[in-house]
């Protein structure tokens, strides 16, 4: 399947009820053959209006965090979410919604073929790393699965709510940068 076929199919998706309330489906953004992929939870209000992941306040903070380690959605990462349509009132996506949607993300991962997947927050880590993942304890650690390295950092919205988490996240970002230098030389070329 090509990117165009995948995106066109996703844009028509009616696999769960979130299609009834979405403004725009938020497919993904960035470099489609990046070695580093970031996965968030699901669109919020601004993302739903604009059709792009992480464009609200949390998104601005994410961009700043990425800049710190020389990553940029226009240059060297791909960004997508576990669910492609906004859950009403920004509630967590239901398990049934995640299950209905995850095929789109799996297909994106197959096309990007990232070497490192960074989960943004508890929900993405629970789906992609381990259902029992504890973000407070396990953020910043690396887990290998089928030849891909996974890690998780606090969600930008959590850092906005609780700035005390920022120093730990800065350490995680520096460790991520070192790992990228080690195994994804093209990212900083
Ligand atoms: N939060 C997410 O998890 N994803 C977005 O795209 C925006 C906010």
């Amino acid at each position: 399947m090509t990117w165009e076929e995948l995106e066109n199919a996703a844009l028509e998706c009616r696999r769960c009820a979130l299609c009834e309330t979405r403004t725009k489906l938020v497919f993904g953004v960035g470099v489609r053959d990046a070695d580093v992929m970031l996965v968030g939870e699901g669109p919020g209000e601004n993302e739903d209006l604009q059709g792009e992941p992480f464009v609200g306040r949390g998104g601005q903070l994410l961009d700043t965090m990425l800049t710190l380690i020389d990553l940029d959605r226009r240059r060297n990462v791909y960004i997508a979410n576990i669910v492609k349509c906004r859950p009403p009132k920004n509630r967590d996506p239901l398990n049934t919604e995640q299950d209905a949607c995850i095929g789109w993300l799996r297909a994106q991962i197959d096309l990007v073929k990232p070497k490192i997947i960074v989960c943004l927050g508890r929900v993405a880590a629970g789906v992609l790393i381990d259902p029992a993942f504890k973000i407070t304890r396990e953020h910043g650690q690396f887990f290998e699965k089928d030849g891909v390295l996974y890690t998780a950092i606090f969600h930008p919205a959590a850092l906005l709510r609780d700035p005390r988490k920022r120093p730990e996240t800065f350490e995680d970002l520096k460790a991520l940068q070192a790992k990228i230098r080690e195994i994804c030389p093209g990212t900083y070329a």
Side-chain angles (χ1 to χ4, degrees):
M1 170 140 18
T2 66
W3 275 106
E4 279 59 42
E5 286 165 350
L6 183 67
E7 183 161 5
N8 287 336
L11 291 171
E12 308 267 292
C13 182
R14 304 192 63 81
R15 290 179 190 172
C16 81
L18 296 182
C19 69
E20 319 267 347
T21 48
R22 73 180 173 221
T23 310
K24 287 190 174 174
L25 181 138
V26 179
F27 181 69
V29 69
V31 176
R32 290 175 161 186
D33 61 356
D35 281 342
V36 182
M37 184 162 170
L38 309 179
V39 179
E41 177 178 324
E45 185 180 12
N46 294 291
E47 292 77 21
D48 173 71
L49 292 172
Q50 296 182 42
E52 180 171 331
F54 288 100
V55 292
R57 246 182 104 219
Q60 283 175 23
L61 177 57
L62 178 64
D63 283 337
T64 304
M65 290 158 60
L66 295 179
T67 303
L68 287 174
I69 55 168
D70 204 14
L71 298 177
D72 185 319
R73 65 177 77 194
R74 289 176 301 274
R75 205 158 50 77
N76 53 12
V77 293
Y78 188 78
I79 306 177
N81 281 305
I82 297 289
V83 299
K84 306 295 190 235
C85 298
R86 182 190 182 201
K89 300 190 187 134
N90 298 346
R91 62 160 168 75
D92 281 0
L94 305 175
N95 286 340
T96 50
E97 293 159 352
Q98 297 177 21
D99 292 347
C101 204
I102 195 69
W104 299 118
L105 180 69
R106 299 265 179 229
Q108 287 172 299
I109 293 173
D110 285 347
L111 286 170
V112 177
K113 300 189 185 65
K115 292 183 179 155
I116 300 179
I117 295 179
V118 182
C119 300
L120 300 170
R122 171 184 56 82
V123 169
V127 174
L128 295 180
I129 301 176
D130 180 352
F133 194 87
K134 292 277 173 284
I135 189 81
T136 313
R137 254 207 334 265
E138 296 176 290
H139 67 85
Q141 296 180 27
F142 287 89
F143 304 86
E144 202 259 7
K145 268 205 219 178
D146 302 324
V148 179
L149 270 189
Y150 290 80
T151 189
I153 62 175
F154 286 117
H155 194 285
L159 299 174
L160 288 172
R161 277 195 304 271
D162 183 2
R164 288 169 305 179
K165 293 188 166 81
R166 290 187 188 203
E168 290 170 81
T169 302
F170 186 58
E171 294 305 314
D172 292 348
L173 290 170
K174 286 195 294 188
L176 173 62
Q177 183 176 43
K179 189 62 82 179
I180 294 171
R181 286 212 177 98
E182 185 187 326
I183 67 169
C184 314
T187 295
Y188 294 134

